[in-house]
Amino acid sequence: GREALCRASAGAKAIEFRQAMEENLPPLEADPDLMSQVLINLLRNAAEAARAHAGSPLVSLSFARTRSGRTQIEVEDNGAGVPEALRQDIFLPFFTTKPKGTGVGLSLARQVVLAHRGAISVGEGAAGGALFRILI
């Protein structure tokens, strides 16, 4: 699935893509197809946001292990970020801030993550853009 993720993000124009993975991570206890879809969706959103906002768009994907032994996946961009007032709403079905958006992507991502007894949240990244964090 990682090759597909890289291809999905490499097709974007002039976006710097960084990936960080902690060593010796246990295999992800998750449906690989569904989780790939979730991550591709988040990366695509991140790329769009970064491209619309930043002179040198940057998207990063990282995998790490939490102290409790879960896997933490983060997708961060240097786009405009998600206003605090909308951070709860963006995961609702059919809620969108995009002119052509369907509002299905993040809602589906949340359903997939919850089905794996995980959690997904959005906050502000170091570069001021959106930081999506998934705990599985």
Side-chain angles (χ1 to χ4, degrees):
R2 286 196 197 117
E3 293 75 27
L5 290 175
C6 290
R7 271 202 305 278
S9 48
K13 78 163 209 273
I15 286 192
E16 187 184 340
F17 177 65
R18 293 183 192 157
Q19 189 171 342
M21 195 166 294
E22 244 175 49
E23 286 180 29
N24 308 322
L25 276 180
L28 200 56
E29 301 277 323
D31 181 297
D33 294 333
L34 287 174
M35 280 313 293
S36 292
Q37 276 309 115
V38 166
L39 293 180
I40 285 171
N41 210 327
L42 288 176
L43 289 169
R44 200 171 283 146
N45 284 353
E48 270 178 37
R51 205 184 290 125
H53 182 76
S56 41
L58 172 66
V59 172
S60 66
L61 171 67
S62 68
F63 294 81
R65 193 171 187 165
T66 66
R67 277 199 291 270
S68 60
R70 300 175 90 186
T71 300
Q72 176 177 285
I73 306 168
E74 291 185 339
V75 174
E76 187 180 347
D77 63 62
N78 61 351
V82 179
E84 214 161 319
L86 297 182
R87 286 180 191 168
Q88 293 305 307
D89 296 344
I90 61 170
F91 295 106
L92 295 173
F94 311 119
F95 179 89
T96 183
T97 58
K98 298 181 195 172
K100 292 194 172 100
T102 58
V104 171
L106 287 173
S107 150
L108 190 67
R110 183 170 170 271
Q111 284 177 325
V112 168
V113 170
L114 291 178
H116 288 89
R117 295 189 297 282
I120 183 170
S121 60
V122 64
E124 188 174 319
L131 171 66
F132 283 87
R133 178 176 291 137
I134 295 174
L135 278 173
I136 294 273

